């Protein structure tokens, strides 16, 4: 008497191109923000991954601990429950996908479907329980400057060029007073992935916003666009500024560097199964 056992690991039973397509179908919603969940999906993928500490080898996207309290309730993660709730039906549909794979793949979809570069991605993260949550304070504080930004990203294992490339994601989306306390989009096309973070930062005159809220900057001519204090550090710090100038004049170099750095971010601390393939997903159109 022998019983046939299915020994295929869960991650191998998922068709990731289908998941990609289903996530892409969730992006558009004219009643949400600027009409797309893409920016908040990118932010979810980044905050799920950016907790990595290379010294202790803790954090990162592998366990998807961002979905558990207390990590889900860390100030930096305010509002990301919106993205997780939007994705939850796909976790139910594709029972074998891990949350870590789903959240990071949603970031790839956000970047690619909004017109950004192709981002290589691998499956095989396995979820962890709440006891693996990282301590508060591993993600950057927008009120601080270049030294703080370096401390946070060096801890993950990034260099100045990679940090400058990653922050270009601030072409997408906006700040929400009810999430971070800050307010407004960085440019006029927050649902298109461009190098506008760099061009706006360099070409505009940024003045302190006159309001009761936390210190932030607005563009002098219209007041419609914003920069965080931590964003301004990329303009004032000479080593960061070299890369900001490079990416402002050369969108292709920005796309290449962003793609590599974002793929690296999503893989920090993940031990992939040896046979996990690397995907380069096709965009929907
Ligand atoms: Fe960011 N970010 N981010 N960011 N981020 C915010 C929004 C978005 C910082 C602070 C904030 C990255 C780096 C930094 C995105 C992607 C990335 C908000 C506003 C704050 C505050 C949140 C809200 O109110 O809803 C700081 C500080 C840094 C830094 O010091 C470098 C990086 C590396 C990324 C990335 O994806 C690679 C995106 C996208 C958004 C827009 C979210 C949305 O809902 O729209």
């Amino acid at each position: 008497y022998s019983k046939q056992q299915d020994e295929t690991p869960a991650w191998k039973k998922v068709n990731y191109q289908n998941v990609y397509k289903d996530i892409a179908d969730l992006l558009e919603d004219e009643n949400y923000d600027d009409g797309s969940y893409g920016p908040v999906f990118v932010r979810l993928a980044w905050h799920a991954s950016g907790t990595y500490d290379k010294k202790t080898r803790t954090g990162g996207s592998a366990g998807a601990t961002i979905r558990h309290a207390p990590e889900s309730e860390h100030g930096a993660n305010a509002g990301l429950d919106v993205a997780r709730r939007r994705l939850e039906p796909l976790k139910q549909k594709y029972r074998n996908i891990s949350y870590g794979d789903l959240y990071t793949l949603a970031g790839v979809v956000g970047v690619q479907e909004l017109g950004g570069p192709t981002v290589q991605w691998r499956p095989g993260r396995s979820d962890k329980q709440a006891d693996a949550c990282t301590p508060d304070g591993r993600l950057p504080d927008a009120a601080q400057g270049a030294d703080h930004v370096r401390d946070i990203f060096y801890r993950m294992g990034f260099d100045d060029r990679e940090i400058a490339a990653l922050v270009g994601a601030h072409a997408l989306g906006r700040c929400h007073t009810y999430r971070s306390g800050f307010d407004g989009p960085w440019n006029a096309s927050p649902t298109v992935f461009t190098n506008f973070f760099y061009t706006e930062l360099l070409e505009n005159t940024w003045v302190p916003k006159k309001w009761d809220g936390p210190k932030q900057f607005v563009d002098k001519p219209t007041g419609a666009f914003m920069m965080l204090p931590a964003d301004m550090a990329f303009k004032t710090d000479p080593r960061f500024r070299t890369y900001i100038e490079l990416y402002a004049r050369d969108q292709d170099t920005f796309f290449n560097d962003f793609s590599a750095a974002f793929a690296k971010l999503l893989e920090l601390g993940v031990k992939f199964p040896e046979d996990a393939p690397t995907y380069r997903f096709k965009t929907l159109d």
Side-chain angles (χ1 to χ4, degrees):
Y1 158 81
S2 79
K3 202 173 151 213
Q4 195 80 27
Q5 286 221 334
D6 180 7
E7 285 175 0
T8 312
W11 70 268
K12 277 194 182 174
K13 297 180 186 171
V14 182
N15 181 323
Y16 294 99
Q17 182 70 58
N18 288 350
V19 183
Y20 180 102
K21 187 193 169 296
D22 283 354
I23 297 171
D25 285 339
L26 290 176
L27 294 182
E28 250 184 68
D29 179 352
E30 59 180 18
N31 296 313
Y32 176 73
D33 256 16
D34 302 291
S36 173
Y37 279 86
V40 80
F41 284 174
V42 172
R43 189 161 202 246
L44 174 64
W46 137 237
H47 280 206
S49 310
T51 54
Y52 183 63
D53 173 26
K54 67 176 181 185
K55 278 209 195 92
T56 57
R57 300 203 194 126
T58 55
S61 65
T65 51
I66 195 171
R67 74 196 193 284
H68 297 302
E71 197 174 321
S72 56
E73 284 156 15
H74 291 166
N77 289 329
L80 293 177
D81 53 315
V82 170
R84 289 196 299 276
R85 268 203 304 280
R86 184 81 172 169
L87 293 168
E88 187 58 29
L90 298 185
K91 172 65 182 168
Q92 304 310 320
K93 178 172 175 183
Y94 298 94
R95 282 174 305 111
N96 288 307
I97 197 170
S98 66
Y99 280 107
D101 284 344
L102 181 61
Y103 296 165
T104 52
L105 183 49
V108 170
V109 174
V111 169
Q112 293 195 180
E113 293 298 315
L114 299 182
T118 305
V119 178
Q120 293 193 20
W121 179 89
R122 282 190 284 174
R125 293 164 187 76
S126 38
D127 294 330
K128 294 185 183 130
Q129 293 310 310
D131 60 359
C133 280
T134 49
D136 201 359
R138 288 203 178 176
L139 294 163
D141 172 0
Q144 297 200 48
D147 290 347
H148 168 75
V149 171
R150 284 200 172 90
D151 286 345
I152 293 282
F153 283 87
Y154 287 180
R155 189 208 66 227
M156 294 176 225
F158 289 109
D159 64 23
D160 286 357
R161 181 168 178 143
E162 291 171 314
I163 302 168
L166 285 170
V167 75
H170 282 175
L172 295 178
R174 59 169 58 240
C175 295
H176 308 75
T177 49
Y178 58 98
R179 295 182 184 171
S180 61
F182 300 98
D183 182 43
W186 284 269
N187 64 72
S189 49
T191 61
V192 190
F193 193 98
T194 59
N195 68 342
F196 289 0
F197 173 76
Y198 309 105
T199 53
E200 290 287 340
L201 186 60
L202 291 177
E203 288 163 20
N204 254 319
T205 303
W206 297 94
V207 294
K209 181 177 166 86
K210 293 201 182 82
W211 72 330
D212 290 340
K215 181 174 179 185
Q216 69 169 71
F217 297 83
V218 289
D219 69 299
K220 196 173 179 191
T222 73
F225 308 122
M226 69 92 58
M227 289 287 165
L228 300 162
D231 293 326
M232 295 299 285
F234 288 88
K235 189 171 185 174
T236 50
D237 180 272
R239 278 182 290 149
F240 279 143
R241 187 172 173 128
T242 318
Y243 300 115
I244 301 311
E245 286 171 356
L246 169 65
Y247 297 143
R249 62 173 186 268
D250 185 349
Q251 158 129 284
D252 287 347
T253 301
F254 167 51
F255 271 34
N256 282 327
D257 288 3
F258 181 85
S259 168
F262 194 64
K264 173 175 164 178
L265 173 67
L266 304 187
E267 298 205 344
L268 293 176
V270 185
K271 286 189 203 75
F272 288 98
E274 253 169 46
D275 51 349
T278 298
Y279 289 87
R280 294 173 68 86
F281 295 103
K282 291 195 179 69
T283 51
L284 281 202
D285 45 0

